[in-house]
Amino acid sequence: MAQAFLFPGQGSQKVGMGRDLAEASTAARAVFQEVDDALGQHLFRLMVEGPEDQLTLTENAQPAIMANAIAVLRVLEAEGGFSLQAHGECVAGHSLGEYTALCAAGAFTLADTARLLKLRGQAMQAAVPVGVGAMCALLGADLAKATALAEAASAQLLSDGRPALCQVANDNDPGQVVLSGHREAIERAVAMVKEHGIKRGVLLPVSAPFHCDLMAPAADAMAEALERTSPAPMLLPVYANVTAALVSDPAVERDLLVRQVTGRVRWRESILAMGEGGIERFVEFGGKVVGPMVGRTLPDAAVTSVVTMADIEAFAKTL
């Protein structure tokens, strides 16, 4: 059965993450220690003990989610006889998860991935003052409805006379799309959902408006960082967020990672493309976030989430 390996994005962090893995496996402990050393901080302690508001900060959440997923992968490799290259056809990750996918596929070292994500989180947070931007999830919305709503919410100027920005940030599955932009425009969009035939709009508890044009300063920062730390050749190709297409050229992927900061996460299209490419089983490492999106996009696909030691042992038996 052809398999794709998936990695979650921001929002999958929670206090206590990684504790059981570290207690059970030296391979997991090694991952968390290497990330701590690379960042010069006690990130693993923050993951295990909190406080939650510090873990949720973008600059901490992004490397933490990556470290947890890679720890799952390393335990599976060490104790389950797993090989990414031998058992899979491709990798993909949702937003920051694309970096995790590249780390898993050998394009970035673990230490470099941690440093890149720390910088990415800091640059995204610094790009827009707190309170200026926002994001909302549209439930019961397809891409066409969400696009029309975003255009309507952008049509009216902001209260200070500037043009409003509201864009589709994430096309997650057939019934969930996320908008990002100026807070005023996003709040306007939430208030207008019924007019556009959308079931519900929910403001998201995020500290910055990710994946929209307001993130341009962060894209510039990542362009500089990725010039210094470019991807190496990959063990498996990656489906890029911004193109929903398979990429194996490291130079192309580097440019796409820069575009990803302001660009739409085309997750639904990526999953459809994987299905059309013959993928029958989707395995999410380190979370239970993107797996359900896959299930709503390809109802007949086999979907597995591998998070705990029990999950690892169960999945290893299927190899």
Side-chain angles (χ1 to χ4, degrees):
M1 184 180 287
Q3 298 185 118
F5 302 120
L6 311 180
F7 299 88
Q10 198 159 336
S12 58
Q13 74 279 351
K14 63 179 181 178
V15 174
M17 63 193 298
R19 178 194 287 116
D20 292 346
L21 289 175
E23 290 176 351
S25 171
T26 56
R29 290 196 293 276
V31 168
F32 297 132
Q33 186 61 57
E34 186 173 347
V35 170
D36 276 5
D37 291 345
L39 299 181
Q41 73 174 106
H42 296 297
L43 181 65
F44 182 59
R45 182 192 300 167
L46 180 61
M47 292 164 62
V48 171
E49 301 176 3
E52 186 175 2
D53 62 336
Q54 291 299 305
L55 179 59
T56 303
L57 288 176
T58 302
E59 67 177 84
N60 292 326
Q62 294 199 19
I65 292 164
M66 179 278 296
N68 190 59
I70 294 298
V72 171
L73 177 62
R74 295 288 183 260
V75 173
L76 188 59
E77 289 172 339
E79 302 180 19
F82 176 77
S83 163
L84 196 82
Q85 194 170 20
H87 291 105
E89 306 296 326
C90 60
V91 293
H94 191 279
S95 190
L96 80 90
E98 190 166 341
Y99 285 81
T100 316
L102 289 166
C103 178
F108 293 125
T109 66
L110 177 59
D112 282 343
T113 309
R115 286 188 285 262
L116 284 168
L117 286 175
K118 183 77 172 180
L119 173 64
R120 184 177 182 267
Q122 291 171 333
M124 286 177 141
Q125 189 61 68
V128 180
V130 174
V132 171
M135 300 180 76
C136 70
L138 305 178
L139 308 179
D142 59 18
L143 182 58
K145 289 180 179 179
T147 301
L149 175 59
E151 291 172 354
S154 299
Q156 185 178 331
L157 295 175
L158 299 176
S159 57
D160 61 6
R162 290 178 299 147
L165 181 77
C166 181
Q167 296 174 311
V168 174
N170 301 354
D171 178 14
N172 286 333
D173 63 46
Q176 186 194 97
V177 181
V178 174
L179 302 184
S180 183
H182 288 115
R183 175 168 289 276
E184 279 187 54
I186 295 299
E187 290 176 344
R188 191 182 302 153
V190 170
M192 296 166 62
V193 291
K194 298 296 185 183
E195 300 170 29
H196 289 263
I198 296 169
K199 182 178 178 181
R200 191 180 174 202
V202 182
L203 285 171
L204 296 176
V206 295
S207 55
F210 308 129
H211 299 294
C212 76
D213 289 345
L214 296 178
M215 289 285 107
D220 293 340
M222 291 311 297
E224 293 180 13
L226 288 163
E227 281 295 327
R228 297 190 299 269
T229 309
S230 295
M234 311 167 204
L235 297 173
L236 290 178
V238 61
Y239 273 85
N241 282 186
V242 295
T243 60
L246 208 55
V247 181
S248 55
D249 185 334
V252 171
E253 177 60 16
R254 180 194 62 207
D255 294 340
L256 293 178
L257 287 174
V258 175
R259 287 175 52 193
Q260 190 222 56
V261 178
T262 57
R264 178 188 306 168
V265 175
R266 296 170 61 181
W267 191 251
R268 176 186 59 86
E269 293 174 79
S270 296
I271 297 305
L272 288 173
M274 286 182 234
E276 291 168 1
I279 299 299
E280 301 167 280
R281 187 185 197 188
F282 297 81
V283 183
E284 178 181 1
F285 288 125
K288 297 183 179 182
V289 179
V290 294
M293 296 178 191
V294 174
R296 291 189 289 269
T297 303
L298 291 176
D300 294 333
V303 180
T304 303
S305 293
V306 184
V307 181
T308 66
M309 286 301 299
D311 295 335
I312 291 169
E313 291 165 4
F315 180 66
K317 292 177 181 177
T318 71
L319 298 176

